[in-house]
Amino acid sequence: MNQNNNSNNEPRLMKGNEALAEAAIRAGIHAYFGYPITPQSEILEYFTREMPKRGGVVVQAESELAAINMVYGAAGAGTRIMTSSSSPGISLMQEGLSYIASAELPCLVVNINRGGPGLGTIQPSQSDYWQAVKGGGHGDYHLIVLAPASVQEMADFVFDAFRLAEKYRNPAFILADGALGQMMEKVVLPEAGSLPYHEVNWATSGMGKRKERNIITSLYMQPEEMEQVNLHLQKKYKAMQKEVRFESILTEDADILLVAYGLGARICQKVVELGREKDIKIGLLRPITLYPFPKDEIARLAIRVQSILVVEMNAGQMVEDVSLAVNGRCPVNLTGRMGGMISSPEEVFQKVETIIEKQTLTLK
Amino acid sequence: MENKIPEEFEVVYCKPSTLTDMPMHYCPGCGHGIVNKILMEVVEELNIQDKTIGVAPVGCSVFAYNYMNIDMQEAAHGRASAVATGIKRVLPDRYVFSYQGDGDLAAIGTSETIHTVNRGENILMIFINNAIYGMTGGQMAPTTLIGQVTSTSPYGREAAAIGNPLKITDMLAQLPGAYYVSRHSIHTSNAIRKLKKAITKSFEYQKEKKGTCFIEVVSNCPSGWKMTPLESMKWIEEHMFPIYPLGDLKIPKEESKVTKENPN
């Protein structure tokens, strides 16, 4: 594919969805399969506009079920593949994701999360956290989950996602939200051609000169064999833990630690500033990888801080992972809004003040 | 142990190299074994083993990759044609086929089936219609006949309650994306020869990127139907053919002229 078209590296103003799609073309994806759904339709639209010009394959599938299974087929054929959707569509893809995880096919799936449950809203939300980090479909498996917090990261994480997916032969997942997909920001796009695709020996691309056939499957009739497959997957997930990534903002001297990801972390950056202006030492830990989760860093900080406030755009999902990591070392609080509503920095700061009052914290 | 054939003998028939040595799990007398074998014979005869990729979805067909000595993908229930689409779109010079049962292709995968054919994907879809869910123990399929007793239609299929047998092949033949649509059977050796010819033709059309080739195989399920293999073959003739008559449903325009002029 001609990845170089339109590929100068000048900063430009772009929508999150379009930056992600352009980054994927520069990452050299061979094909994109998708289905329209708000607020991610610009991704499909971008590919249908650009792929024919730049030599890639794009198919608007008849459903998300079909799209994820086209991904399965093409990823199994040994090519770099992605799809994207938003919450209800991602639910439809769960069956396919389970098969893909079991068959160990590298690919990228993007969720531009909107408010749920049900048909929900089209506004931004983080209500699909559990679905993303705990597997989502049937069976014991994990996706590699990256959570961008800016349009720049919407583009950059496409490259990171494919690098990790191909390194571990595992589906990678970008969990963003409707705001990150829709908002425009300055972005410097990653350079085309900087992510070479390495031929694999397991692909079902036709036997060619191979003597043995390749089979992509997730079916094992003997439970002993199925257990071995599971043990292999668990070993892989353990090895993935070293890929954990997070961003720390003023965490070292913090009395109150905010934990938030994605758009929530952008709001919390302002909360840190509001606190510091009033001599309240607030810090922010932003998980960049949601799976693997930065549990060690949270455990380390839990000893140093007096209280943790988890800020989410849902009813409290990541807070469970934070609580597990904290393991009683300090109080863990939660604030968040649901259904497409977003907390303002002032609302979150108020919650911090309430915690100080209630916990009667003596701040350093 | 290798059986050496003395020089004075000529091999006139043997298992194709495109079939593995794995014993098939299909029940005695089941049509799947026949279709697996002739499909692989065609792949051998056309010398395309190195560039053929098959897709076998959930159902009795799911183990096909154990027997077919080519690259294969197992697919989720109903999704074979979407998986095949994904493969063919990124590897357009390979030969790609799906091998699906009636529950898979005509119930849970109806949407994928229709849209794959409507896009005119350059693949071969082989549809094994034995009017029953074999693998799960003989439940009613979309193609189950009126009055047919299965484990989920214990009083016989009733149109008023669950609709009529779905003639999906006839529906697909209406779509412009379908290039060649034909219904065959495995009940006699003559029928098997005709089926083999249709499969060969389909791979040739695929090479020329003509569109979707779709072959329905009216087959049997002695275990599910609770019959001997011989009884099941008779049942195909007496009960299946009136609903699923054999023959071409759609042939390329150029060839239809020839056929009219020379009906033989």
Side-chain angles (χ1 to χ4, degrees), chain A residues 19-72:
Chain A
L20 180 138
E22 174 59 30
I25 294 175
R26 290 168 182 231
I29 61 164
H30 298 97
Y32 170 90
F33 305 100
Y35 186 83
I37 183 170
T38 310
Q40 68 83 49
S41 296
E42 293 87 355
I43 300 177
L44 171 62
E45 286 168 355
Y46 196 90
F47 284 124
T48 51
R49 190 165 68 234
E50 290 297 319
M51 288 297 243
K53 288 191 269 178
R54 292 158 82 173
V57 172
V58 59
V59 178
Q60 178 172 332
E62 62 273 25
S63 68
E64 288 89 348
L65 290 179
I68 194 70
N69 281 284
M70 290 174 189
V71 167
Y72 176 96

Side-chain angles (χ1 to χ4, degrees), chain B residues 150-206:
Chain B
T150 70
S151 68
T152 53
S153 56
Y155 310 110
R157 179 176 188 159
E158 243 185 289
I162 201 75
N164 285 287
L166 183 64
K167 297 184 177 186
I168 196 160
T169 307
D170 302 61
M171 289 164 62
L172 296 170
Q174 310 302 313
L175 301 173
Y179 186 70
Y180 172 57
V181 181
S182 194
R183 188 183 284 121
H184 290 264
S185 173
I186 44 82
H187 71 302
T188 60
S189 45
N190 193 28
I192 294 167
R193 270 195 294 276
K194 280 186 182 160
L195 168 62
K196 190 172 167 181
K197 239 182 222 172
I199 295 173
T200 305
K201 225 196 273 188
S202 298
F203 279 121
E204 282 161 358
Y205 292 145
Q206 187 171 155

Side-chain angles (χ1 to χ4, degrees), chain A residues 45-345:
Chain A
E45 286 168 355
Y46 196 90
F47 284 124
T48 51
R49 190 165 68 234
E50 290 297 319
M51 288 297 243
K53 288 191 269 178
R54 292 158 82 173
V57 172
V58 59
V59 178
Q60 178 172 332
E62 62 273 25
S63 68
E64 288 89 348
L65 290 179
I68 194 70
N69 281 284
M70 290 174 189
V71 167
Y72 176 96
T79 53
R80 190 174 278 161
I81 301 300
M82 72 171 278
T83 184
S84 61
S85 189
S86 181
S87 309
I90 294 289
S91 289
L92 281 172
M93 289 185 184
Q94 293 305 325
E95 176 201 39
L97 273 167
S98 172
Y99 278 70
I100 288 171
S102 182
E104 296 191 272
L105 305 179
C107 63
L108 169 60
V109 179
V110 178
N111 182 0
I112 307 297
N113 197 167
R114 64 189 232 184
L119 191 52
T121 63
I122 56 169
Q123 279 74 31
S125 176
Q126 296 182 330
S127 52
D128 300 347
Y129 174 91
W130 279 335
Q131 190 192 46
V133 306
K134 308 292 183 194
H138 58 285
D140 280 324
Y141 73 91
H142 283 289
L143 312 170
I144 299 164
V145 185
L146 293 163
S150 63
V151 172
Q152 184 64 54
E153 286 186 344
M154 289 285 274
D156 291 343
F157 285 8
V158 171
F159 278 63
D160 296 327
F162 278 118
R163 208 172 282 128
L164 291 168
E166 285 158 21
K167 179 175 176 185
Y168 291 100
R169 271 192 70 178
N170 203 71
F173 197 84
I174 289 182
L175 182 61
D177 62 66
L180 287 163
Q182 294 297 321
M183 72 188 189
M184 292 183 90
E185 280 189 314
K186 187 184 87 172
V187 57
V188 178
L189 290 162
E191 207 163 319
S194 59
L195 193 64
Y197 184 79
H198 303 289
E199 294 287 315
V200 294
N201 58 11
W202 48 261
T204 53
S205 51
M207 285 168 73
K209 292 198 170 81
R210 261 186 285 121
K211 286 214 171 78
E212 294 292 318
R213 69 196 195 282
N214 282 337
I215 294 167
I216 305 280
T217 183
S218 62
L219 174 65
Y220 301 90
M221 289 301 277
Q222 302 306 322
E224 293 82 2
E225 216 184 332
M226 191 74 246
E227 187 180 42
Q228 286 308 313
V229 171
N230 270 279
L231 287 169
H232 162 74
L233 290 177
Q234 292 305 318
K235 203 174 150 194
K236 183 170 85 172
Y237 302 146
K238 210 173 163 191
M240 275 179 200
Q241 298 304 314
K242 67 171 180 284
E243 307 292 348
V244 72
R245 278 171 66 190
F246 53 86
E247 184 188 6
S248 307
I249 296 174
L250 300 174
T251 54
E252 291 312 310
D253 69 342
D255 287 315
I256 308 281
L257 179 70
L258 304 176
V259 184
Y261 69 93
L263 194 69
R266 291 286 289 270
I267 295 157
C268 287
Q269 280 183 31
K270 185 69 187 167
V271 182
V272 171
E273 281 174 30
L274 290 174
R276 297 276 164 171
E277 279 166 17
K278 294 192 176 176
D279 284 331
I280 302 171
K281 289 178 180 163
I282 305 176
L284 168 63
L285 181 86
R286 170 171 83 97
I288 291 172
T289 53
L290 299 178
Y291 190 90
F293 191 68
K295 48 184 186 288
D296 293 343
E297 178 64 5
I298 290 171
R300 187 183 75 83
L301 292 170
I303 304 166
R304 310 167 65 112
V305 302
Q306 304 202 37
S307 198
I308 288 180
L309 175 60
V310 178
V311 183
E312 299 188 66
M313 288 150 59
N314 56 40
Q317 299 191 11
M318 184 177 68
V319 68
E320 293 192 356
D321 287 335
V322 174
S323 299
L324 277 172
V326 169
N327 200 15
R329 293 182 185 92
C330 76
V332 177
N333 308 275
L334 166 73
T335 187
R337 297 191 66 177
M338 289 162 274
M341 296 300 290
I342 306 172
S343 304
S344 68

Side-chain angles (χ1 to χ4, degrees), chain B residues 87-156:
Chain B
I87 300 169
K88 186 69 181 186
R89 287 293 181 117
V90 292
L91 301 172
D93 63 335
R94 309 300 203 279
Y95 294 89
V96 178
F97 68 85
S98 69
Y99 182 91
Q100 308 174 247
D102 41 48
D104 185 87
L105 183 138
I108 195 167
T110 311
S111 170
E112 284 80 358
T113 301
I114 289 175
H115 288 279
T116 300
V117 178
N118 195 46
R119 285 191 303 266
E121 298 291 342
N122 278 304
I123 60 169
L124 164 62
M125 295 172 75
I126 294 178
F127 168 38
I128 309 296
N129 176 9
N130 57 10
I132 207 159
Y133 283 78
M135 176 163 271
T136 44
Q139 293 82 12
M140 184 182 63
T143 51
T144 292
L145 305 181
I146 295 297
Q148 192 181 337
V149 172
T150 70
S151 68
T152 53
S153 56
Y155 310 110

Side-chain angles (χ1 to χ4, degrees), chain B residues 6-253:
Chain B
E7 270 177 27
E8 63 270 28
F9 289 91
E10 188 194 346
V11 179
V12 290
Y13 183 79
C14 66
K15 179 174 79 71
S17 63
T18 42
L19 273 182
T20 67
D21 292 329
M22 169 90 79
M24 287 183 177
H25 77 286
Y26 303 121
C27 303
C30 169
H32 269 300
I34 298 169
V35 186
N36 277 210
K37 191 194 75 175
I38 59 165
L39 174 58
M40 285 302 105
E41 279 179 358
V42 172
V43 168
E44 183 181 61
E45 285 161 18
L46 294 176
N47 196 23
I48 55 172
Q49 182 187 20
D50 58 337
K51 37 188 176 290
T52 301
I53 304 159
V55 181
V58 172
C60 289
S61 59
V62 77
F63 292 111
Y65 59 72
N66 283 330
Y67 318 127
M68 299 184 186
N69 191 15
I70 51 168
D71 276 8
M72 286 199 78
Q73 291 195 15
E74 172 243 347
H77 200 22
R79 319 290 171 231
S81 63
V83 171
T85 297
I87 300 169
K88 186 69 181 186
R89 287 293 181 117
V90 292
L91 301 172
D93 63 335
R94 309 300 203 279
Y95 294 89
V96 178
F97 68 85
S98 69
Y99 182 91
Q100 308 174 247
D102 41 48
D104 185 87
L105 183 138
I108 195 167
T110 311
S111 170
E112 284 80 358
T113 301
I114 289 175
H115 288 279
T116 300
V117 178
N118 195 46
R119 285 191 303 266
E121 298 291 342
N122 278 304
I123 60 169
L124 164 62
M125 295 172 75
I126 294 178
F127 168 38
I128 309 296
N129 176 9
N130 57 10
I132 207 159
Y133 283 78
M135 176 163 271
T136 44
Q139 293 82 12
M140 184 182 63
T143 51
T144 292
L145 305 181
I146 295 297
Q148 192 181 337
V149 172
T150 70
S151 68
T152 53
S153 56
Y155 310 110
R157 179 176 188 159
E158 243 185 289
I162 201 75
N164 285 287
L166 183 64
K167 297 184 177 186
I168 196 160
T169 307
D170 302 61
M171 289 164 62
L172 296 170
Q174 310 302 313
L175 301 173
Y179 186 70
Y180 172 57
V181 181
S182 194
R183 188 183 284 121
H184 290 264
S185 173
I186 44 82
H187 71 302
T188 60
S189 45
N190 193 28
I192 294 167
R193 270 195 294 276
K194 280 186 182 160
L195 168 62
K196 190 172 167 181
K197 239 182 222 172
I199 295 173
T200 305
K201 225 196 273 188
S202 298
F203 279 121
E204 282 161 358
Y205 292 145
Q206 187 171 155
K207 190 177 183 181
E208 295 163 27
K209 301 188 182 357
K210 295 285 193 184
T212 311
C213 293
F214 190 95
I215 299 176
E216 174 178 339
V217 183
V218 178
S219 192
N220 62 342
C221 182
S223 301
W225 293 356
K226 314 221 181 304
M227 294 177 197
T228 66
L230 196 61
E231 283 166 354
S232 76
M233 293 302 183
K234 269 193 200 133
W235 202 83
I236 286 183
E237 283 187 79
E238 285 167 18
H239 300 275
M240 295 280 276
F241 289 165
I243 308 296
Y244 306 112
L246 302 190
D248 292 331
L249 286 95
K250 187 173 190 180
I251 55 170
K253 275 191 191 121

